[in-house]
Amino acid sequence: MRKKEYVLFLAMVLTLGLLAACNGADEDADTDAGEDAAVDEENGDEGEEDGEAAGEPQEGGEIIVGMQGDPNDLHSAYAADTQSTDVTRMIHAAVTTHNADMEMAPELAVDMPEVSDDGLTYTIELHDDVYFHDGEQLTADDVVFTYEVFMDEDYTGPRTTPFERVESVEATGEHEVTIELSEPDASLESSALTYEIMPEHILGDVPADEQEEHEFSTSEAVVGAGPFSLEEWDYGTSLTLEAHEDYHLDGPYLDAVTLRIAEDANALLAMLQAGEVDHANIRPQDVETANAIDDVNVVAEDGYNYNYIGWNHDRPPFDDPDVRRAMTMAIDREAIIDGVLQGHAEIAHFPHHPMSWAYSDDVDEIPFDPDGAIELLEEAGFEQNDEGQMEYEGEPFSFELLTNQESHARVDWVVVVQEMLAEIGIDVQTDTMEFGAYLDRIQTPNYDFDAIAGAWSLAIYPDPEPLFHSDQYEQGQNNIKYESDAFDELAQDNRSIVDEDERAEAIQEAYGQVAEDQAYTFMYYPDVHQAHREEIQNFQMSPLSEFFKIEEWWLEE
Amino acid sequence: MTTYIIRRILMTIPILIGISIISFGIMQFAPGEPTALDLDPQISPEDREEQLDAMGLNDPIPVQYVRWAGNILQGELGTSFITNRDVGSMIWERMPNTLVLMISSTIMTMVIAIPIGIISAMRQYSVRDYIFTFGSFVGVSIPNFWLGLMLIMFLSVQFGWFPVGGVSTLGGDFEILDRLHHLFLPALVLATADMAQMTRYTRTSMLEVKNQDYIRTARAKGFKERRVIYKHGLRNALMPLITMFGLLLPTFIGGSVIVEQIFTWPGIGQLFIDSTFQRDYPVIMALTMFGAGLVVIGNLIADILYAIADPRIEY
């Protein structure tokens, strides 16, 4: 009968097991070689050099870009997750946008808006040669229409705060928009004005609360004024985008970009290895593997976010700044970066990013000093008993460090922290939870945690209020219950400060206060890595977008 | 028979209502909510609260249930909280992918497992039997995800024989060979565990039948061995397998979760995972009810097949 086939099949199953065993060893051997390559790549910052060295951009060509998961909504007023905002940025254009240095720059506007001396009137002059994908011209009316969606009382999207101080938006010319504010708002240019402009001639008659579910927002029916137009959206598989020839700024040079959906990071990496995608975001632990692929460059950049340990100030002894400082001193962050993140991160001492104007060097860098930590704890009322345990109020001190299971790096380093604190006699239990359950436990109204390991993505406007102001405890994001009058006073209403220098000073001092008080133990700024085929020229990267300035990328013949 | 089927169908109604109440309740008690996941300090708590209001999630759970049930009865599956698209069309567009995957892996299972099981049973304690037995234990023990990752790693990445994932080549027209090329690995992985299990069931079942009087009688009548085994033996041995097949039907939605995830196969299982992690209640409920429906139908079909396979069974 078909005896032979069965035996063959069986043989296959058995050999697979053997092969797999061999592979484990191979992979280890590869790692060392790969690591050196990774270091070179980063020092050389090759992505940028390529573009400059190769000269004039060439038109044409197509690339396939890997993306983790479908976007959810392509309407700028409703897009909130990364995939959605990344794709929205390719399809639509906004009045202002950010550049690679995290500074604001005009896109639809000819220049940055003109602001009146009292900070209440913004005048925006738009380019007069902007066209939507369907050929209609983009005018001041489209801008007014879009912003009014956010301000509509039926609007239920997540973005009302950026517009809360906008009194009126008016078209004061075919290509001129005037915005009146009720109070000065320094964040306007980097928040409200960065939401992409939607076409009034298509959505004008759709009520604000129906736009989210409109086919415009959820299918290839979308029309924008951005560098690419969406031709096909095969849900769960791919999105096909074509160049918008009339785009008013440089590019796009590529004829088409296909976004290929992969369900997880492993699948994405395999696609990159098999040459099925030309570009992908990769995790720090995959850098070596990606570097080992022929013709693939890995580019690293500081992520615009930081990891932290948040201490619950509502639970003694974490209400004592000295205890929190001692915890920081007992944790060897350098070792965690080297051991867990393979060096792909930088120690954080401050609640915002070094690239931002909110950053201040004038901050006390807490060194790794376990002995100092013990001393500090003893001053704060701890006592070391005969077995080396730290006792607080007569009991051996112990607390729970909680994190979410989706972040592999954090899941790994909480255990390292556990060991480091055990060194100074503090017992830590670690726990990981699924993200939704984790949030439920740490947010209002539960606040049921001793300490959490988490991360914050940062916004361009570095408002310190949402995370640390004492008003933000009951309902907001200050779930650690940080309370500092000095901070509250400094941070209070920083958006209203019209003078730039004065504002920067207030915010830097406010953040400085948070660092001084060690509201969190700031862990590190992780690098983000992208891998792309060598043929892609003028590759650019920004921590806020996966396909940054993709309209300016081009392919070498 | 007809009255029996009608009675069975009527009985499914209270069962489905019960399932819907329980799953709705469990889902609501699970921690987390759809808006909490947009963790962004720039989104104010008031906005979040307003979104929950708009989704109707701030109403008491019984009110939410009645509203949901009312919509279902009118054939409205609702709109996804996350993708803002119609839940019905989200499921509908993924259904063909899952069906293709499940049907081909089921066929693969049957074609390979049943003959192996029979051979094993007929030559009990032979070398061949031991090899097959060993093989099926290996098959049962290999975790799906591991086998999938290994196959991708060697056959796709190293040798480039198969695509890494997806249902077809991007941008290409419909081509049956291309589809089969993409289908082979996920279907194989999915079939492995079932195959091993099915082999064991067939073997056991065959062993039991083998020593029955009617087999001996058939042999005594001088029938050819092949006829004895396949006509008289297998037919009876198949009875328990039918039950198993009925139970397989609901795995059409659940069983492929991991495989779909690994092979980036845009099917129902993937949708289920995504919507669960995003707390996309309308999608979760629709899929749960769909799964419940399949269990009920699967059992019904199994019962009907009994009657066909064994005319002595009467209802």
Side-chain angles (χ1 to χ4, degrees), chain A residues 17 94 146 196 254 261 380 384 437 519 550 554:
Chain A
T146 303
E196 292 84 357
L254 297 165
I261 315 291
Q384 200 158 18
I550 188 168
W554 52 276

Side-chain angles (χ1 to χ4, degrees), chain A residues 221-239:
Chain A
V222 63
V223 170
F228 289 92
S229 62
L230 181 59
E231 297 301 316
E232 202 192 333
W233 184 354
D234 190 355
Y235 300 102
T237 304
S238 66
L239 291 91

Side-chain angles (χ1 to χ4, degrees), chain B residues 128-241:
Chain B
R128 211 180 302 170
D129 180 32
Y130 282 123
I131 292 176
F132 286 142
T133 304
F134 179 73
S136 54
F137 276 118
V138 172
V140 174
S141 320
I142 292 180
N144 263 352
F145 71 91
W146 184 84
L147 179 62
L149 288 175
M150 285 304 135
L151 289 175
I152 290 177
M153 190 147 162
F154 289 103
L155 303 187
S156 302
V157 174
Q158 302 278 40
F159 298 126
W161 292 346
F162 292 96
V164 167
V167 281
S168 64
T169 305
L170 282 190
D173 293 326
F174 182 87
E175 256 182 83
I176 192 79
L177 276 181
D178 180 54
R179 295 276 167 151
L180 289 177
H181 194 203
H182 281 80
L183 178 63
F184 182 74
L185 286 189
L188 176 69
V189 171
L190 208 50
T192 314
D194 287 346
M195 228 187 289
Q197 226 173 349
M198 200 58 136
T199 310
R200 303 300 302 154
Y201 276 115
T202 314
R203 180 177 177 274
T204 317
S205 195
M206 249 348 236
L207 280 179
E208 228 164 82
V209 168
K210 198 171 87 173
N211 301 322
Q212 297 288 335
D213 291 343
Y214 56 83
I215 294 288
R216 207 176 309 140
T217 315
R219 284 217 179 93
K221 280 185 179 170
F223 286 143
K224 279 194 182 130
E225 184 66 11
R226 179 169 291 199
R227 183 167 171 172
V228 173
I229 295 170
Y230 287 96
K231 185 99 203 281
H232 299 263
L234 185 60
R235 188 165 180 160
N236 289 293
L238 274 181
M239 296 299 291
L241 297 185

Side-chain angles (χ1 to χ4, degrees), chain A residues 198-221:
Chain A
M198 302 288 121
E200 188 190 13
H201 66 276
I202 295 177
L203 290 173
D205 296 331
V206 185
D209 57 342
E210 284 171 27
Q211 294 190 12
E212 183 177 18
E213 293 169 17
H214 195 273
E215 59 163 4
F216 176 93
S217 312
T218 58
S219 77
E220 61 254 4

